[in-house]
């Protein structure tokens, strides 16, 4: 890359750069906390790629991600690049390509919930409910290793709601009810479950 790692460290830790990096780290925590560890030049380039993707310059973002391939030192780095390539494809409504990247991501490392959540959403939307269930459960398992905070509580509660919706589509109403109770236990005051509860009651009354 264009600068030595010591210079890159100074740039990366600057307040101006950290403002940009924090936007992505909040959105994709804990993913960005464990990639290219200590390689500040790679982290700067990765942030630049994410900036391009967020501005819908997906071609430029993909090119920047491709340039990072030689700097991957482990499977987690490779998994992250695949995942962000999937995000770029999703931004361009290239769902099939996005799903291929997400699947490749979890082949390298299956400890991130993000690729599984994206795969579950895609399969659910396409009516592939058995496949969606598999990805929902994989995403839920990934949360076992995540430190609890409000952001993750909201995501996990919503994930259980989506999983419940998937189960309802398969006619597995008791399991859907259990999933909704899991969502309630994680985030008791969430308001987005009422529609699902109503739908479940109607299905049970038939």
């Amino acid at each position: 890359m264009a600068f030595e790692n010591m210079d890159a460290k100074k740039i990366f830790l600057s307040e101006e750069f950290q403002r940009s990096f924090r936007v992505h780290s909040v959105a994709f925590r804990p993913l960005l906390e464990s990639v290219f560890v200590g390689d500040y030049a790679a982290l700067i380039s990765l942030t630049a790629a994410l900036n391009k993707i967020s501005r819908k310059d997906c071609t430029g973002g993909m090119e920047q991600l491709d340039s990072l391939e030689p700097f991957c030192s482990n499977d987690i780095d490779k998994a992250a690049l695949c995942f962000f390539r999937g995000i770029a494809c999703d931004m361009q409504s290239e769902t099939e390509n996005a799903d291929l990247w997400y699947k490749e991501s979890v082949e390298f490392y299956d400890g991130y919930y993000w690729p599984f959540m994206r795969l579950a959403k895609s399969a659910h939307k396409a009516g592939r409910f058995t496949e969606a269930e598999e990805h929902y459960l994989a995403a839920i398992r990934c949360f076992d290793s995540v430190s609890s905070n409000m952001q993750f509580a909201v995501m996990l509660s919503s994930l259980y709601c989506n999983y419940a919706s998937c189960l309802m589509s398969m006619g597995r109403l008791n399991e859907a009810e259990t999933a909704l109770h899991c969502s309630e236990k994680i985030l008791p005051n969430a308001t987005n479950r009422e529609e699902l509860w109503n739908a479940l009651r109607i299905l049970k009354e038939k």
Side-chain angles (χ1 to χ4, degrees):
M1 294 186 186
F3 28 69
E4 297 296 330
N5 205 45
M6 287 299 295
D7 294 333
K9 182 177 180 179
K10 184 176 180 180
I11 294 169
F12 179 77
L13 295 177
S14 68
E15 181 58 32
E16 181 179 0
F17 190 87
Q18 281 296 305
R19 280 197 297 271
S20 177
F21 182 74
R22 276 194 294 268
V23 170
H24 303 300
S25 64
V26 168
F28 297 113
R29 186 180 295 127
L31 182 60
L32 289 182
E33 296 172 352
S34 52
V35 297
F36 297 113
V37 176
D39 190 341
Y40 296 102
L43 286 169
I44 289 171
S45 188
L46 177 59
T47 305
L50 298 182
N51 287 341
K52 289 177 180 179
I53 293 169
S54 66
R55 294 194 299 265
K56 298 188 178 180
D57 176 13
C58 296
T59 300
M62 288 285 271
E63 290 174 353
Q64 191 107 33
L65 291 172
D66 290 344
S67 74
L68 278 163
E69 195 73 44
F71 300 92
C72 293
S73 61
N74 53 53
D75 285 346
I76 292 178
D77 292 346
K78 294 174 183 176
L81 289 189
C82 290
F83 170 71
F84 288 123
R85 287 174 176 130
I87 292 290
C89 290
D90 259 342
M91 291 280 285
Q92 299 178 99
S93 299
E94 297 175 0
T95 304
E96 290 186 10
N97 287 335
D99 285 354
L100 289 173
W101 282 119
Y102 297 142
K103 288 175 181 177
E104 187 167 342
S105 177
V106 298
E107 286 176 7
F108 281 117
Y109 180 68
D110 62 1
Y112 292 136
Y113 52 84
W114 274 111
F116 289 118
M117 288 172 64
R118 294 279 180 158
L119 286 167
K121 178 181 177 182
S122 174
H124 192 164
K125 185 177 180 181
R128 302 192 306 272
F129 300 120
T130 301
E131 180 185 341
E133 178 187 16
E134 178 184 340
H135 295 311
Y136 280 129
L137 290 173
I140 288 167
R141 283 193 296 270
C142 289
F143 276 89
D144 291 341
S145 60
V146 174
S147 300
S148 179
N149 62 36
M150 181 52 70
Q151 179 189 1
F152 295 143
V154 170
M155 292 175 66
L156 184 54
S157 176
S158 177
L159 185 57
Y160 269 111
C161 284
N162 292 335
Y163 177 42
S165 174
C166 180
L167 291 168
M168 288 163 63
S169 296
M170 291 190 286
R172 291 158 58 185
L173 304 186
N174 290 336
E175 292 172 78
E177 184 174 355
T178 299
L180 286 175
H181 282 306
C182 288
S183 174
E184 283 186 330
K185 185 177 180 181
I186 295 162
L187 208 64
N189 298 321
T191 59
N192 62 337
R193 282 185 299 266
E194 193 59 34
E195 186 176 341
L196 283 170
W197 276 121
N198 290 336
L200 182 60
R201 291 186 191 102
I202 291 169
L203 288 170
K204 283 197 162 190
E205 288 170 0
K206 287 183 177 180

